[in-house]
Amino acid sequence: MKYLPVVFAYLFALAVTGPLAFFAVQILAGSQGGLLPRSLGEPVLALGWLAVLLLPAWAASRVWRRIPRRPAHG
């Protein structure tokens, strides 16, 4: 049961990060006239994917570190 908070944290962070990254990439470097020059389209897309992959994993690792460990029985 100690994995349940980690899974919830990952899924929640993914649900928040995914749409935010999508809209940020579309606004900054979208094909329909983004705010940045066309040459920055691919780096912005790569950073968006990096955010979607790393931020939920980071949030889950933070939750994992906060879960108390069971004391060793001796």
Side-chain angles (χ1 to χ4, degrees):
M1 292 310 289
K2 70 178 184 177
Y3 298 111
L4 196 59
V6 176
V7 171
F8 281 144
Y10 181 81
L11 292 176
F12 179 76
L14 186 62
V16 170
T17 306
L20 285 177
F22 172 77
F23 287 118
V25 167
Q26 288 300 317
I27 290 170
L28 291 175
S31 60
Q32 304 297 325
L35 297 175
L36 297 175
R38 264 204 186 289
S39 62
L40 294 176
E42 291 193 18
V44 169
L45 180 62
L47 289 173
W49 273 111
L50 198 61
V52 169
L53 294 175
L54 293 182
L55 288 177
W58 176 75
S61 71
R62 295 286 305 231
V63 171
W64 178 258
R65 280 191 257 148
R66 287 181 175 250
I67 296 175
R69 304 286 180 240
R70 291 185 181 170
H73 296 287

